[in-house]
Amino acid sequence: MSQQGYVATPPYSQPQPGIGLSPPHYGHYGDPSHTASPTGMMKPAGPLGVTATGGMLPPGPPPPGPHQFGQNGAHAAGHPQQRFPGPPPVNNVASSYAPYQPSAQSSYPSPMSTSSVTQLGSQLSAMQINSYGSGMAPPSQGPPGPLSATSLQTPPRPPQPSVLQPGSQVLPPPPTTLNGPGASPLLPPMYRPDGLSGPPPPNSQYQPPPLPGQTLGAGYPPQQANSGPQMAGAQLSYPGGFPGGPAQLAGPPQPQKKLDPDSIPSPIQVIENDRASRGGQVYATNTRGQIPPLVTTDCIIQDQGNASPRFIRCTTYCFPCTSDMAKQAQIPLAAVIKPFATIPSNESPLYLVNHGESGPVRCNRCKAYMCPFMQFIEGGRRYQCGFCNCVNDVPPFYFQHLDHIGRRLDHYEKPELSLGSYEYVATLDYCRKNKPPNPPAFIFMIDVSYSNIKNGLVKLICEELKTMLEKLPKEEQEEMSAIRVGFITYNKVLHFFNVKSNLAQPQMMVVTDVGEVFVPLLDGFLVNYQESQSVIHNLLDQIPDMFADSNENETVFAPVIQAGMEALKAADCPGKLFIFHSSLPTAEAPGKLKNRDDKKLVNTDKEKILFQPQTNVYDSLAKDCVAHGCSVTLFLFPSQYVDVASLGLVPQLTGGTLYKYNNFQMHLDRQQFLNDLRNDIEKKIGFDAIMRVRTSTGFRATDFFGGILMNNTTDVEMAAIDCDKAVTVEFKHDDKLSEDTGALIQCAVLYTTISGQRRLRIHNLGLNCSSQLADLYKSCETDALINFFAKSAFKAVLHQPLKVIREILVNQTAHMLACYRKNCASPSAASQLILPDSMKVLPVYMNCLLKNCVLLSRPEISTDERAYQRQLVMTMGVADSQLFFYPQLLPIHTLDVKSTMLPAAVRCSESRLSEEGIFLLANGLHMFLWLGVSSPPELIQGIFNVPSFAHINTDMTLLPEVGNPYSQQLRMIMGIIQQKRPYSMKGHPPLRKCKAGT
């Protein structure tokens, strides 16, 4: 049966001399020539390596040593770590999938001819999906913002007689290192056979006119360290238009066709179509393998046996039955798991199951927890595990009779039998030292060096903590929070404070030996806030004055974390450190850092060093923190280089969060910082967590990405995990899967609540399996795919050259689409690029990822900003990564002040901006307001309370409160966009588009 999707037409019908590409090579991030890992760092041990020039190297074993930088993967010694595995060329080998064993090499012929991949690679090359230069992207031709424009760069072919003719021809300037490959053209309108707008009907295919070349999507790196996204109007390309390809034919510039960008698949149209068909409706999870609404669609989710997509989203909801099929398609099999995702008030919270001292019912063999996938037999006396097929006896206390269809009579009375997500109360067997845990503690650690005192930051923190401590998280049924609090200040030395409730004044104890940090007091350091409120307020009032005359500018950092961890360890409780830090720790102490911001390393094979921590002190410190349930959240206020790659390692590996405020100015950044601090203190969180992902027979979890640590191949350890953190898990086959039983996943998280109770949170999901590639492609979710590709690529930057990583991304994209064309689509002209309907915006989104500042190095982007964005993405859920890579662009000038609906978004492209318009741009970290020179005066008056465009204050980062409908509506829209995001978006001064010469 033929499965059709989106069809786009490239500029030529067959590979031309000088325009084609070498056969792509698929493999892992593991090129031995480029991956001289630091001591103790695990290199991927994939069977194939990809070189920067398109060559291949034989497989090699990973070096020995403990794992430092890749704790997110299941790759202990002897266990293969595989990135983007795919069918190699015919004369190469691929790995088998024996569980937890080194890959055995066996000959595996390519399932598809290289000509198909070559053809599709040429087509993607024409779309400029791989357009980068040597790292020097051209300057933007428009205002700064995360926008991209369509551009041409390949010579045209004579138009095919069966398709529409493109419009007039324009002659672009010759490519240079400044202007890129050419000017930005337009594309002809999209043609649909039935003449209707929207996506194609099933088994139909778009027939747009030939496209001489196109750059898809919107991505950015920021122009400056803290400027947010950037327009990408023109780009450089590899000599052959594709990695590893031969140079283009020399000669005079060829005329190029003028194209309409609307003929490129639109992410906005896909989002709006899904909202129109599924928005506001009830989505019931009672069907295995069903595809949920997109993350951009608001709906009500009803748990009926499978976990809500708020908790688990998959790259595809139909797994291939065999590993050969998986290799053939090259589609990653992965799940993005957000165990503590926020549940809206109109949906049911998770039920808590308590079996008393007996504890949860589990399979004797695989230890899976009781769930809807267990099948009861023999009148209810036994049950067969859905994961390993083991038959278990039902414990006497859990026995219940079956009805006429073999279902327990209490099926709907027990959450673990009828729901996809629920919680168990854990017994003492699940607790450290077999005793109940103590409630967690929060320790606030403030840098009181000279700069922080003088700019008022210390005073601001102390003032705000007085009100924020009133809102410490607590269980719903509790009157007050069980969380205890403690306070430390520091510069070159540490100051501990005794705030015991019976003291008249707080007491300070100084620890000067930062080489061997110890906790000078136990009683009175961690206290109940309500009981010691007056002493704490007294302390917070005194701290700014206490250090007002300090001239100390040097600080320590690693000893601060060590002190907090030792304090929690002494109190025998898990907890969280809130560290407020502003400079490079240069004082003599463990973890001392030097300025290594070397721009000469950019665009070299040594560039990966910039993403690695300077010293192994922070890696070992992170492991100690996780072992003792100590999470670290870091608020950074840098005015210059602070080595985020080193300072941010502990927050990342301990399940904490990194917030960064460049060149902090009180009047501009105060509100953003306070919003972040307030949200972080109040958010839902679990401590001292261990996560295990179990699967049914035939496949297993092999790689993990996120704010996690792994000491073996199965247990994901987290000092804490909150409602915004996600872990991405990749799966591999180790046997055949059955279409009848499907593929089952169970995620179990053992954690300590904020009240000190040990619990198990269980999420179950059933996926379909098929022996038809068409079913696999039909069930894909592009947003989850990009989340996976981003995390796997950002993990690889620690040990692979960026050029190699970009080539692997492009090659795998080409291969996925070539496989679909060859095996699932109806025969069509060789000049047509055919995209699966579920993947028709994948090239756009992939281009966004490829242009992110982590993968696209540019000298004007600070190293700290690149390391910061890398760390943020590693813990993002699908909704956050979708907005981050494809920002939201809203035309504010079309506002209907009588409506509460957001204005319809427009495609994130520079060409969509107009001199008559006002646009709001948001990517989850930054928010911009773009103003055209001819913006309506009534709108400018209504929003800014000034008479004209020229009177707007370009330094403001907050909108003035103007009491009129325009201002109120815009502020409401900004509030809605911000509402569900983990970071308070930084407001930027208005971007004004002026006429030429003004």
Side-chain angles (χ1 to χ4, degrees):
M1 176 177 172
S2 169
Q3 176 70 26
Q4 287 300 333
Y6 178 84
V7 183
T9 312
Y12 38 82
S13 59
Q14 56 188 356
Q16 298 295 307
I19 304 180
L21 77 158
S22 305
H25 307 300
Y26 306 96
H28 317 302
Y29 294 131
D31 179 3
S33 67
H34 296 292
T35 54
S37 304
T39 304
M41 175 179 164
M42 290 287 286
K43 264 194 316 189
L48 294 176
V50 182
T51 68
T53 57
M56 291 178 293
L57 290 171
H67 192 47
Q68 282 191 8
F69 304 108
Q71 288 87 349
N72 300 346
H75 33 86
H79 181 66
Q81 178 195 11
Q82 303 181 10
R83 271 282 48 74
F84 297 153
V90 177
N91 59 344
N92 284 279
V93 294
S95 60
S96 63
Y97 293 89
Y100 313 112
Q101 297 297 324
S103 298
Q105 296 182 358
S106 61
S107 179
Y108 178 73
S110 173
M112 68 191 325
S113 64
T114 55
S115 61
S116 297
V117 180
T118 302
Q119 173 67 31
L120 191 85
S122 300
Q123 295 168 345
L124 288 177
S125 174
M127 298 163 71
Q128 294 189 29
I129 193 172
N130 59 313
S131 296
Y132 324 97
S134 58
M136 285 289 292
S140 171
Q141 302 301 314
L147 311 172
S148 68
T150 306
S151 63
L152 294 174
Q153 90 176 24
T154 53
R157 291 283 296 162
Q160 304 296 324
S162 59
V163 294
L164 298 176
Q165 298 293 328
S168 59
Q169 299 180 352
V170 293
L171 187 65
T176 69
T177 56
L178 293 178
N179 66 6
S184 297
L186 298 174
L187 299 172
M190 185 173 297
Y191 170 72
R192 175 171 161 165
D194 53 12
L196 301 176
S197 61
N203 299 319
S204 70
Q205 108 183 1
Y206 286 99
Q207 297 287 348
L211 306 181
Q214 42 191 272
T215 296
L216 296 180
Y220 43 85
Q223 285 182 319
Q224 301 172 5
N226 197 29
S227 63
Q230 177 227 337
M231 298 239 188
Q235 306 169 62
L236 300 174
S237 68
Y238 287 100
F242 197 83
Q248 295 183 358
L249 289 174
Q254 298 293 321
Q256 297 187 351
K257 304 294 182 181
K258 213 170 188 179
L259 304 173
D260 180 3
D262 287 334
S263 66
I264 299 173
S266 166
I268 301 302
Q269 190 65 52
V270 170
I271 290 170
E272 290 302 324
N273 289 346
D274 194 72
R275 282 177 178 163
S277 61
R278 311 183 78 170
Q281 300 181 12
V282 174
Y283 171 74
T285 66
N286 57 346
T287 305
R288 188 185 75 190
Q290 62 182 337
I291 305 171
L294 298 179
V295 289
T296 48
T297 299
D298 286 326
C299 62
I300 300 171
I301 298 172
Q302 192 176 87
D303 188 341
Q304 293 187 6
N306 285 284
S308 162
R310 302 190 197 282
F311 297 121
I312 305 179
R313 281 186 176 269
C314 295
T315 54
T316 177
Y317 294 87
C318 180
F319 277 16
C321 283
T322 65
S323 60
D324 287 352
M325 275 184 66
K327 294 173 187 176
Q328 184 179 4
Q330 286 286 289
I331 296 174
L333 308 178
V336 185
I337 304 174
K338 204 173 179 182
F340 285 81
T342 302
I343 302 173
S345 57
N346 60 350
E347 295 179 15
S348 299
L350 296 193
Y351 287 92
L352 180 62
V353 180
N354 189 349
H355 288 324
E357 294 182 0
S358 300
V361 179
R362 305 178 66 180
C363 172
N364 292 328
R365 180 193 290 169
C366 70
K367 302 302 180 184
Y369 294 88
M370 179 58 64
C371 66
F373 305 144
M374 305 299 189
Q375 180 64 46
F376 289 87
I377 57 177
E378 298 182 15
R381 291 186 296 274
R382 309 181 82 185
Y383 68 92
Q384 184 174 20
C385 176
F387 295 90
C388 68
N389 298 321
C390 176
V391 176
N392 301 268
D393 292 330
V394 174
F397 80 91
Y398 201 68
F399 173 77
Q400 180 57 270
H401 294 284
L402 307 184
D403 62 13
H404 65 285
I405 60 173
R407 190 165 54 189
R408 286 172 57 116
L409 297 177
D410 60 355
H411 177 83
Y412 292 106
E413 299 172 13
K414 292 191 175 294
E416 70 272 25
L417 300 181
S418 57
L419 299 178
S421 300
Y422 44 88
E423 289 195 319
Y424 282 114
V425 175
T427 60
L428 293 180
D429 294 337
Y430 296 86
C431 302
R432 291 181 185 268
K433 302 175 184 177
N434 289 331
K435 64 177 185 179
N438 292 313
F442 285 175
I443 302 179
F444 298 91
M445 318 181 85
I446 306 171
D447 173 0
V448 290
S449 57
Y450 175 81
S451 59
N452 282 4
I453 293 291
K454 292 306 178 187
N455 68 10
L457 181 60
V458 172
K459 184 175 180 62
L460 174 66
I461 294 170
C462 292
E463 284 297 319
E464 291 301 322
L465 281 179
K466 293 179 187 176
T467 57
M468 292 183 184
L469 291 176
E470 299 280 355
K471 298 181 180 179
L472 290 172
K474 62 182 180 181
E475 299 289 356
E476 293 181 2
Q477 68 274 15
E478 294 180 344
E479 291 185 5
M480 66 176 64
S481 174
I483 292 177
R484 292 173 293 168
V485 295
F487 302 89
I488 293 176
T489 58
Y490 68 94
N491 39 48
K492 287 177 67 174
V493 297
L494 306 176
H495 318 104
F496 290 75
F497 294 95
N498 185 344
V499 286
K500 197 172 182 179
S501 59
N502 58 4
L503 294 177
Q505 289 283 337
Q507 298 174 348
M508 181 174 77
M509 295 183 165
V510 182
V511 175
T512 57
D513 185 4
V514 292
E516 296 289 339
V517 175
F518 65 95
V519 181
L521 76 161
L522 295 180
D523 188 29
F525 178 67
L526 294 178
V527 298
N528 181 283
Y529 171 72
Q530 301 297 336
E531 295 174 0
S532 300
Q533 181 174 351
S534 60
V535 185
I536 291 173
H537 282 210
N538 197 339
L539 170 65
L540 295 174
D541 287 335
Q542 291 182 29
I543 286 176
D545 298 330
M546 198 182 301
F547 300 97
D549 298 328
S550 171
N551 292 320
E552 187 57 68
N553 252 332
E554 283 194 322
T555 59
V556 296
F557 187 71
V560 179
I561 299 175
Q562 183 78 32
M565 183 192 69
E566 294 292 343
L568 294 175
K569 182 179 176 182
D572 195 22
C573 70
K576 186 173 183 177
L577 310 183
F578 293 82
I579 303 179
F580 306 91
H581 191 82
S582 62
S583 60
L584 194 70
T586 55
E588 284 300 328
K592 174 185 176 181
L593 300 175
K594 62 182 180 180
N595 190 329
R596 54 164 184 165
D597 190 16
D598 188 357
K599 296 293 186 184
K600 295 178 182 177
L601 297 180
V602 174
N603 297 318
T604 69
D605 287 351
K606 293 184 178 180
E607 185 173 8
K608 56 181 176 283
I609 296 174
L610 299 176
F611 294 101
Q612 300 167 358
Q614 271 189 53
T615 168
N616 60 7
V617 168
Y618 292 102
D619 184 71
S620 59
L621 189 56
K623 292 178 180 178
D624 289 342
C625 285
V626 172
H628 294 98
C630 173
S631 176
V632 178
T633 283
L634 176 59
F635 294 84
L636 268 180
F637 306 88
S639 57
Q640 54 190 2
Y641 177 77
V642 292
D643 198 351
V644 170
S646 296
L647 299 187
L649 183 66
V650 177
Q652 179 183 356
L653 297 182
T654 60
T657 307
L658 173 62
Y659 301 90
K660 185 162 73 76
Y661 312 91
N662 286 0
N663 302 308
F664 182 83
Q665 293 178 271
M666 189 67 66
H667 65 289
L668 296 179
D669 304 312
R670 176 180 184 273
Q671 199 56 51
Q672 181 196 6
F673 160 59
L674 295 181
N675 288 343
D676 283 335
L677 177 57
R678 185 178 300 109
N679 292 338
D680 205 282
I681 289 176
E682 297 176 7
K683 68 173 54 172
K684 170 77 174 177
I685 187 171
F687 293 94
D688 198 11
I690 299 178
M691 185 174 86
R692 175 76 68 90
V693 178
R694 293 179 173 85
T695 59
S696 54
T697 54
F699 74 113
R700 57 185 169 87
T702 58
D703 215 353
F704 300 82
F705 310 91
I708 58 176
L709 194 69
M710 296 195 69
N711 290 316
N712 55 46
T713 59
T714 56
D715 292 331
V716 180
E717 299 182 42
M718 299 167 283
I721 182 167
D722 61 47
C723 58
D724 297 319
K725 300 295 188 298
V727 178
T728 299
V729 184
E730 186 180 13
F731 303 101
K732 291 286 195 306
H733 287 77
D734 51 19
D735 203 347
K736 290 184 178 180
L737 297 175
S738 166
E739 293 190 18
D740 296 332
T741 57
L744 308 180
I745 298 170
Q746 182 179 84
C747 168
V749 183
L750 175 65
Y751 73 100
T752 300
T753 68
I754 51 178
S755 62
Q757 186 182 44
R758 202 70 172 150
R759 289 186 186 175
L760 285 152
R761 178 169 287 217
I762 313 295
H763 298 297
N764 304 285
L765 183 65
L767 305 176
N768 286 335
C769 295
S770 177
S771 56
Q772 301 297 319
L773 282 172
D775 294 332
L776 171 62
Y777 281 94
K778 189 167 57 177
S779 302
C780 286
E781 183 177 317
T782 300
D783 295 328
L785 279 168
I786 290 300
N787 181 282
F788 170 82
F789 280 130
K791 290 182 180 180
S792 54
F794 284 12
K795 179 180 175 181
V797 300
L798 294 175
H799 50 78
Q800 277 288 77
L802 298 186
K803 182 181 178 183
V804 174
I805 296 171
R806 292 194 299 257
E807 288 178 2
I808 292 174
L809 289 170
V810 172
N811 286 348
Q812 185 161 3
T813 303
H815 192 101
M816 288 191 295
L817 301 180
C819 179
Y820 175 82
R821 178 194 181 99
K822 179 178 180 181
N823 297 282
C824 307
S826 296
S828 57
S831 60
Q832 291 177 333
L833 174 62
I834 301 177
L835 304 174
D837 195 56
S838 64
M839 282 186 179
K840 62 185 177 185
V841 295
L842 178 64
V844 177
Y845 281 6
M846 184 59 73
N847 203 37
C848 301
L849 169 59
L850 292 168
K851 290 191 290 184
N852 179 267
C853 68
V854 177
L855 297 181
L856 183 60
S857 51
R858 293 173 52 178
E860 66 268 29
I861 302 168
S862 76
T863 303
D864 276 347
E865 181 65 21
R866 297 176 69 196
Y868 174 61
Q869 291 199 22
R870 175 189 172 272
Q871 178 164 330
L872 295 189
V873 170
M874 290 303 294
T875 59
M876 278 185 179
V878 177
D880 295 326
S881 61
Q882 189 277 334
L883 182 64
F884 181 73
F885 289 113
Y886 195 84
Q888 195 169 14
L889 183 62
L890 300 177
I892 300 303
H893 54 279
T894 64
L895 269 181
D896 180 0
V897 294
K898 298 179 181 178
S899 172
T900 58
M901 300 289 291
L902 293 180
V906 296
R907 295 172 69 158
C908 201
S909 169
E910 181 182 357
S911 63
R912 305 292 165 167
L913 301 177
S914 63
E915 291 188 351
E916 299 78 23
I918 299 178
F919 296 85
L920 181 67
L921 181 69
N923 75 340
L925 295 181
H926 303 276
M927 195 175 284
F928 295 88
L929 195 62
W930 190 94
L931 306 168
V933 66
S934 303
S935 302
E938 64 273 13
L939 262 180
I940 292 178
Q941 177 70 43
I943 295 173
F944 297 100
N945 200 24
V946 295
S948 69
F949 176 85
H951 290 82
I952 296 174
N953 176 10
T954 56
D955 293 327
M956 70 171 66
T957 58
L958 291 174
L959 287 180
E961 294 190 22
V962 183
N964 66 67
Y966 287 119
S967 175
Q968 293 171 355
Q969 189 80 350
L970 178 55
R971 295 169 72 87
M972 181 202 73
I973 289 171
M974 294 170 65
I976 291 174
I977 295 174
Q978 176 64 69
Q979 190 175 17
K980 299 178 181 178
R981 302 301 164 188
Y983 299 90
S984 178
M985 283 185 248
K986 179 178 175 61
H988 289 265
L991 304 172
R992 301 195 303 174
K993 173 68 173 179
C994 301
K995 293 179 179 177
T998 62

